[in-house]
């Protein structure tokens, strides 16, 4: 009887009334369910103690305990459902936040990379026009940076030495660009 009542509570009453914020209707329906299940349970227990008058007498004297135990079990199942829904909602919210952050990061990368590439190529062009030895070195650094970005764009983790090397080349190109405005 507990199982039947719990399933009715979890799969009918909670979604139909509690999740739609009709709390009073939910409490009325829950009480009605307990009032429906308790007498049926009492009758079955009464007839299962067919030859035992003492057990039947105790059962009749303690009817309120069966009602309270049914109400308690249904209350616990409701709490379980609420906690489960809350945990699922937190999980979904966290996944959504993660997706939003990844989308923002991809958007920022798509905005920064063309700007960085344009500025770097402009700086290299200026060095090439001056016919300095810096241009080939800058082209190699830019090529290494672009290779690093393409190869590691979708990775969650990158080795620290690779990241330090990438940052060093990035800083070198930025220093060169800022020291020689074209």
């Amino acid at each position: 009887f507990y199982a039947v009542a719990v399933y009715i509570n979890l799969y009918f009453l909670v979604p139909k009334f509690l999740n739609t914020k009709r709390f009073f209707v939910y409490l009325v329906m829950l009480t009605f369910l307990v009032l429906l299940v308790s007498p049926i349970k009492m009758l079955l227990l009464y007839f299962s103690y067919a030859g035992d008058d003492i057990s039947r007498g105790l059962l009749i004297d303690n009817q309120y305990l069966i009602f309270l135990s049914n109400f308690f079990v249904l209350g616990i199942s409701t709490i379980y459902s609420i906690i489960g829904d809350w945990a699922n909602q937190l999980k979904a919210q966290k996944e959504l936040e993660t997706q939003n952050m990844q989308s923002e990061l991809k958007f920022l990368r798509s905005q920064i990379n063309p700007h960085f590439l344009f500025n770097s190529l402009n700086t290299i062009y200026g060095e090439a026009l001056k016919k300095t030895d810096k241009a080939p070195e800058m082209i190699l650094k830019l090529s290494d940076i672009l290779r690093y970005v393409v190869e590691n764009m979708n990775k969650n983790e990158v080795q620290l030495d690779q990241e330090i090397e990438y940052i060093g080349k990035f800083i070198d190109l930025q220093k060169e660009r800022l020291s020689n405005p074209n």
Side-chain angles (χ1 to χ4, degrees):
F1 278 92
Y2 288 138
V4 171
V6 166
Y7 278 111
I8 291 172
N9 183 36
L10 291 179
Y11 294 108
F12 179 71
L13 296 180
V14 169
K16 188 164 179 98
F17 300 111
L18 193 62
N19 290 347
T20 59
K21 296 185 173 137
R22 296 188 300 184
F23 303 116
F24 181 73
V25 176
Y26 172 75
L27 285 175
V28 169
M29 295 301 288
L30 188 67
T31 305
F32 177 72
L33 179 62
V34 171
L35 289 173
L36 180 70
V37 169
S38 296
I40 295 171
K41 184 176 180 181
M42 282 287 300
L43 285 174
L44 287 175
L45 287 173
Y46 186 79
F47 289 122
S48 69
Y49 298 131
D52 190 1
D53 290 335
I54 296 173
S55 294
R56 281 182 165 184
L58 286 173
L59 186 64
I60 291 172
D61 290 341
N62 296 316
Q63 290 179 33
Y64 70 94
L65 290 177
I66 290 176
F67 174 80
L68 290 178
S69 68
N70 286 335
F71 210 82
F72 179 75
V73 167
L74 290 175
I76 294 296
S77 71
T78 302
I79 292 169
Y80 170 78
S81 175
I82 290 170
I83 291 172
D85 289 347
W86 177 69
N88 289 337
Q89 188 177 19
L90 284 179
K91 183 179 176 184
Q93 184 178 3
K94 190 173 184 176
E95 288 174 4
L96 184 63
E97 287 175 1
T98 301
Q99 288 175 351
N100 283 343
M101 287 175 54
Q102 288 175 350
S103 296
E104 274 186 45
L105 183 61
K106 285 181 182 178
F107 176 73
L108 286 174
R109 282 182 178 166
S110 71
Q111 294 295 314
I112 292 171
N113 284 340
H115 186 71
F116 168 74
L117 183 61
F118 176 76
N119 285 339
S120 297
L121 287 173
N122 236 359
T123 303
I124 292 170
Y125 175 73
E127 292 298 321
L129 286 178
K130 294 179 196 174
K131 299 185 192 246
T132 66
D133 294 336
K134 293 180 183 180
E137 180 183 326
M138 291 173 67
I139 291 172
L140 283 176
K141 286 181 183 179
L142 181 60
S143 172
D144 288 343
I145 288 172
L146 292 176
R147 182 178 297 111
Y148 175 84
V149 169
V150 168
E151 289 177 356
N152 299 311
M153 184 180 301
N154 295 324
K155 292 182 181 177
N156 290 334
E157 296 179 2
V158 180
Q159 291 184 356
L160 184 60
D161 59 336
Q162 290 178 339
E163 187 74 14
I164 291 172
E165 183 180 342
Y166 163 75
I167 292 171
K169 289 178 182 179
F170 180 83
I171 290 172
D172 288 345
L173 279 178
Q174 291 297 341
K175 281 181 182 176
E176 193 61 42
R177 185 180 69 83
L178 294 174
S179 66
N180 294 322
N182 291 326

